[in-house]
Amino acid sequence: MGELRVTRTNLSDGRELLYFDEPGTPERTASDFRDLARVQTESWMRRDPLTGDWAIYAAHRQNRTFLPPANEDPLAPTRLGQHPSEIPEDDYQITVFENRFPSLSMHLGFAEGHDPYVGGNELFHRAPALGRCEVVCFTPDADGSFKDLPLARKRALIDVWAQRTEELEAIDDVALVFPFENRGEEIGVTLHHPHGQIYSYPFVPPRAAAIAKQARTHRSSRSTSLFDEIIAAELHAGDRVIADTPHFLVFTPAAAKWPLEIMVMAKRAVPSFPHLTSEERDDLAAILDSLFRAVDMFFEGVERTPYIAAWNQAPAKSPDDGRLHLQLFSLMRSPGRMKYLAGSESGMGVWVSDTTPESVASKMRQLYVPD
Amino acid sequence: MGELRVTRTNLSDGRELLYFDEPGTPERTASDFRDLARVQTESWMRRDPLTGDWAIYAAHRQNRTFLPPANEDPLAPTRLGQHPSEIPEDDYQITVFENRFPSLSMHLGFAEGHDPYVGGNELFHRAPALGRCEVVCFTPDADGSFKDLPLARKRALIDVWAQRTEELEAIDDVALVFPFENRGEEIGVTLHHPHGQIYSYPFVPPRAAAIAKQARTHRSSRSTSLFDEIIAAELHAGDRVIADTPHFLVFTPAAAKWPLEIMVMAKRAVPSFPHLTSEERDDLAAILDSLFRAVDMFFEGVERTPYIAAWNQAPAKSPDDGRLHLQLFSLMRSPGRMKYLAGSESGMGVWVSDTTPESVASKMRQLYVPD
């Protein structure tokens, strides 16, 4: 496979759009003729003095597109006689563009000279929600899915995640780059057309911060890598392993908290996508091909398992504190029944599961067919 | 108001049940004739080496009661000719009993001499999920609600929470007592009959641990109480205050993360319910009366706002590290539309809100009518 060709352009409101194409694809030259006004992005972050956590306030998102009719699919290519979409070309392989209704943005009018406190009170830190929210389209087919992409397209997506991570980490304000996919109306997806997203946070999010803390503690007390030890321990236990390839381990973590949860972790000290070798990317693409097929067979009678595919990368400024891993999880407990995050989970942060990691892994092993 | 009379009994499978009654109520003498077998509780906790968080595994809960028909309401009183319920008496005011399908339990057969690691690997800590899960019934009316309770019953409930907290905190293994109510099928409630719950955790949950850490940091760096300063700062700002009473402040926190969120915080250093004076309890009851009425008016056309009412108390063993406060929140964004916790929230722990605390407080102020 040759290197992807990147074509950069801008939408009519100034947002950046990139096409990623296999070599030999016709040039991407179409323009966005919609004459869109730029959405006034007013995202602030505030830090909760009780917990120390940042939350993001993006009131302009109330007006974002919600389950549009099929003929107004904003992620379809723009074909002759059809409603113009976010993608001016009449076909595409993979495109990435800035979200029109972003939670985080580098275009905030008030970013300079703002009051760093809510109402001037130093207990309530606030800051412009600098960062970037990107949409990743990987198929022009509104009824498609990541699972159904040809292997080569999955492999290309890994290169796209790597290219985006490298470029986004180079932005001064960016602390962590988070590619993910929300799939299924059951989890609140507002656009049917399958798509991924990339959030670039201006702070290290709570999960990544917790992992970094554990990694540092482990390193200083045991002089070994937490991630290496997890890989070794899961391999040794075996009963939660779903697949073991040359470069990755596929397993249900020993303390998985979601009803269906699978982790794909790099065996080597790889902080993020850009650090993967070409051979490792081939290996990973083949895993994803098998894994997402298996996940859609997990619940009987459910054709499309709702899921969140969360690509955990190390903080941009402390690569040793993280390890590239996919946390793929579903809130579905059984066909048609979802797990709700009620008092214990939402109120106190304690997850209660009514399954075991071992039983999930056992079922996944039966469904997982290596490429 | 006189002191509540407590009657202790046991259900046929051995679980404890307590009646709390106004003085002068007829004696509670009915027995449970159901001949229930004790549910085999097999709850373990495991600690995630990646994040450091404990999760609870309670596989026996897969078989718990799910939206039973009205004539099998387990929380109704047991009336002549009707299906026997969890409550043997033919009427009640407030009862508390051990959950038949608990996440946490003091009756775990394997609690002694177990392997402290999953599969013997010291990376994967595990422990019996010791603790207690109680159900709090506050009305015999299956169609009732906390909001509709007479003021005196709400006041009595505060005494019940105090009595339960005191008794549960006295259990050696209990680190934190958490009374809460989940309301609404929209958040996954499995029993229509309104009820509260009390979880007694054997560890300090993530939210309480984060609060404790902030409180300690604040105390050592500024020699003041974080909670006092929050109260003072919210009062000074004023635009998030909903009500200010002699003993409590009702406000939407400056960094609220849920679409609808209200906090009721004790102004004095009160770690938990048992420490409230009688006068403070009267004050709080009146607040709850007004607050829950206002919350049910918040969304036009929605008669019953789905919510989680989370009573945050200090850790049992470090009362200075917390302050009694109600975090009352809803995942409803607008009538009929819920907030879903997708990639950013569930994957990374970063909440994105499309409203502001000030606008929520402003609307709540219009709806809140003091008793």
Side-chain angles (χ1 to χ4, degrees):
Chain A
M1 202 194 74
E3 203 155 301
L4 296 175
R5 188 192 62 208
V6 185
T7 311
R8 281 172 194 274
T9 178
N10 291 90
L11 296 172
S12 60
D13 57 3
R15 285 176 295 136
E16 203 176 7
L17 179 143
L18 293 86
Y19 294 96
F20 294 85
D21 292 293
E22 302 291 338
T25 310
E27 299 287 309
R28 302 302 189 186
T29 56
S31 291
D32 179 13
F33 290 109
R34 292 175 297 170
D35 199 20
L36 285 180
R38 189 176 267 283
V39 172
Q40 192 67 27
T41 302
E42 294 189 35
S43 289
W44 284 97
M45 322 187 303
R46 295 179 180 189
R47 191 159 176 268
D48 185 352
L50 261 188
T51 61
D53 288 338
W54 288 99
I56 298 168
Y57 300 87
H60 58 279
R61 274 170 61 80
Q62 277 183 341
N63 304 316
R64 69 185 186 270
T65 313
F66 180 70
L67 298 177
N71 67 346
E72 292 179 20
D73 176 5
L75 309 186
T78 297
R79 288 186 177 135
L80 206 65
Q82 282 179 18
H83 203 274
S85 76
E86 291 281 68
I87 298 141
E89 284 286 331
D90 66 357
D91 195 16
Y92 66 81
Q93 291 167 17
I94 298 173
T95 73
V96 176
F97 58 88
E98 292 178 80
N99 194 321
R100 188 156 188 237
F101 303 94
S103 309
L104 302 150
S105 169
M106 297 307 291
H107 313 284
L108 299 170
F110 49 85
E112 303 290 328
H114 67 277
D115 183 342
Y117 305 115
V118 181
N121 191 301
E122 63 179 69
L123 205 58
F124 306 135
H125 287 266
R126 73 169 186 177
L130 288 170
R132 197 155 142 145
C133 290
E134 298 187 340
V135 178
V136 180
C137 293
F138 44 74
T139 171
D141 178 6
D143 296 318
S145 71
F146 176 79
K147 173 193 73 174
D148 294 327
L149 298 181
L151 181 60
R153 182 67 50 85
K154 292 189 177 97
R155 175 66 180 78
L157 251 180
I158 296 172
D159 285 347
V160 170
W161 289 325
Q163 194 270 2
R164 295 315 304 143
T165 299
E166 194 161 9
E167 217 166 275
L168 291 162
E169 283 189 346
I171 300 174
D172 252 357
D173 296 285
V174 168
L176 185 132
V177 178
F178 176 47
F180 65 99
E181 183 193 354
N182 298 328
R183 190 225 224 178
E185 264 189 79
E186 296 93 335
I187 56 156
V189 165
T190 53
L191 289 177
H192 282 302
H193 195 125
H195 64 285
Q197 300 186 60
I198 303 175
Y199 270 33
S200 300
Y201 296 102
F203 55 87
V204 177
R207 179 178 163 88
I211 293 174
K213 186 174 169 235
Q214 292 290 109
R216 283 192 303 262
T217 305
H218 195 96
R219 205 158 54 225
S220 65
S221 67
R222 306 238 240 158
S223 310
T224 57
S225 151
L226 171 66
F227 311 106
D228 286 350
E229 289 217 20
I230 289 176
I231 296 274
E234 289 291 3
L235 269 171
H236 181 259
D239 54 351
R240 288 175 301 273
V241 171
I242 297 161
D244 175 21
T245 75
H247 305 290
F248 292 89
L249 191 67
V250 185
F251 60 104
T252 295
K257 61 184 189 177
W258 302 97
L260 170 57
E261 181 173 341
I262 302 116
M263 198 163 273
V264 182
M265 189 177 273
K267 289 182 172 176
R268 191 169 63 80
V270 176
S272 57
F273 279 116
H275 297 264
L276 287 174
T277 65
S278 180
E279 196 185 295
E280 286 168 339
R281 296 179 194 201
D282 293 345
D283 189 12
L284 181 56
I287 287 170
L288 299 181
D289 213 41
S290 300
L291 177 59
F292 282 77
R293 258 186 277 126
V295 161
D296 269 4
M297 292 187 284
F298 197 85
F299 296 107
E300 207 163 338
V302 176
E303 214 170 296
R304 293 180 173 215
T305 299
Y307 63 69
I308 294 170
W311 287 99
N312 284 236
Q313 307 196 91
K317 272 78 180 180
S318 56
D320 289 350
D321 290 348
R323 168 79 55 102
L324 178 66
H325 65 272
L326 168 66
Q327 188 194 23
L328 175 62
F329 58 98
S330 180
L331 281 79
M332 190 165 267
R333 297 167 54 202
S334 56
R337 272 182 75 182
M338 302 298 286
K339 171 163 184 68
Y340 291 89
L341 303 182
S344 188
E345 290 89 358
S346 289
M348 274 297 145
V350 179
W351 262 245
V352 180
S353 169
D354 57 14
T355 182
T356 63
E358 290 74 18
S359 63
V360 170
S362 163
K363 188 165 174 188
M364 278 297 298
R365 263 197 304 275
Q366 293 166 32
L367 301 170
Y368 186 100
V369 182
D371 268 20
Chain B
M1 200 191 77
E3 204 156 301
L4 296 175
R5 188 191 63 207
V6 185
T7 311
R8 281 170 194 277
T9 179
N10 291 91
L11 296 172
S12 60
D13 57 2
R15 284 176 295 137
E16 203 175 7
L17 178 142
L18 292 87
Y19 295 96
F20 294 86
D21 292 295
E22 301 292 338
T25 310
E27 299 287 307
R28 303 302 190 186
T29 56
S31 290
D32 178 15
F33 291 110
R34 290 176 298 172
D35 200 21
L36 285 179
R38 190 177 266 283
V39 172
Q40 191 68 30
T41 301
E42 295 189 35
S43 289
W44 285 97
M45 320 187 304
R46 296 179 178 188
R47 191 158 177 271
D48 183 352
L50 260 189
T51 61
D53 289 337
W54 288 99
I56 298 168
Y57 301 87
H60 58 278
R61 274 172 60 83
Q62 276 181 342
N63 305 316
R64 70 183 184 271
T65 313
F66 180 71
L67 297 178
N71 67 346
E72 292 178 20
D73 177 5
L75 309 187
T78 298
R79 293 194 171 127
L80 206 66
Q82 282 179 18
H83 203 274
S85 75
E86 291 281 66
I87 299 142
E89 284 288 332
D90 66 358
D91 195 16
Y92 66 82
Q93 292 167 15
I94 298 173
T95 73
V96 175
F97 58 89
E98 293 180 78
N99 194 320
R100 188 155 189 237
F101 303 93
S103 309
L104 302 149
S105 171
M106 297 306 292
H107 313 283
L108 300 170
F110 50 84
E112 304 289 328
H114 67 276
D115 183 340
Y117 306 114
V118 181
N121 190 301
E122 65 178 67
L123 204 57
F124 306 135
H125 287 265
R126 72 169 186 177
L130 289 171
R132 194 153 143 146
C133 290
E134 298 187 341
V135 178
V136 180
C137 293
F138 44 74
T139 172
D141 177 6
D143 296 318
S145 70
F146 176 79
K147 173 193 70 172
D148 295 326
L149 298 182
L151 180 60
R153 184 68 49 85
K154 291 190 177 100
R155 174 65 180 79
L157 252 179
I158 295 172
D159 284 347
V160 171
W161 289 324
Q163 194 270 5
R164 294 316 304 142
T165 298
E166 193 159 11
E167 215 167 276
L168 291 162
E169 283 190 346
I171 301 174
D172 252 358
D173 296 286
V174 168
L176 185 131
V177 178
F178 175 48
F180 64 100
E181 183 194 353
N182 298 330
R183 189 224 224 176
E185 266 189 77
E186 296 93 335
I187 58 157
V189 164
T190 53
L191 289 177
H192 282 301
H193 195 125
H195 64 285
Q197 300 185 63
I198 302 175
Y199 271 33
S200 300
Y201 297 101
F203 55 87
V204 178
R207 178 179 163 87
I211 293 175
K213 186 174 169 235
Q214 292 291 109
R216 284 192 302 265
T217 304
H218 195 94
R219 206 158 53 225
S220 67
S221 68
R222 306 235 240 159
S223 310
T224 57
S225 151
L226 171 65
F227 311 107
D228 286 349
E229 289 219 19
I230 289 175
I231 297 274
E234 289 291 4
L235 269 171
H236 183 259
D239 55 349
R240 288 174 302 274
V241 172
I242 297 162
D244 175 22
T245 75
H247 304 290
F248 292 89
L249 190 68
V250 185
F251 61 103
T252 296
K257 61 186 189 177
W258 303 96
L260 171 57
E261 181 172 340
I262 300 115
M263 197 162 276
V264 181
M265 187 176 275
K267 288 183 172 177
R268 192 172 61 83
V270 177
S272 57
F273 280 114
H275 297 265
L276 287 175
T277 65
S278 180
E279 196 183 297
E280 287 168 339
R281 294 178 196 200
D282 293 345
D283 189 12
L284 182 56
I287 289 171
L288 299 181
D289 214 41
S290 300
L291 177 60
F292 283 78
R293 259 186 278 125
V295 161
D296 268 4
M297 292 188 284
F298 196 85
F299 296 107
E300 207 162 338
V302 177
E303 215 170 297
R304 294 182 173 215
T305 299
Y307 64 69
I308 294 170
W311 287 100
N312 284 237
Q313 306 197 92
K317 272 78 179 178
S318 56
D320 290 348
D321 290 349
R323 167 79 54 100
L324 178 66
H325 66 272
L326 167 67
Q327 188 194 24
L328 174 63
F329 57 98
S330 179
L331 282 78
M332 191 165 267
R333 295 168 55 201
S334 56
R337 274 184 72 183
M338 302 297 287
K339 171 162 186 72
Y340 291 90
L341 304 182
S344 189
E345 289 89 358
S346 289
M348 275 296 145
V350 179
W351 261 247
V352 180
S353 169
D354 55 17
T355 183
T356 63
E358 289 76 18
S359 63
V360 170
S362 163
K363 188 166 175 186
M364 279 298 296
R365 262 197 305 273
Q366 293 166 31
L367 301 170
Y368 186 99
V369 182
D371 267 22

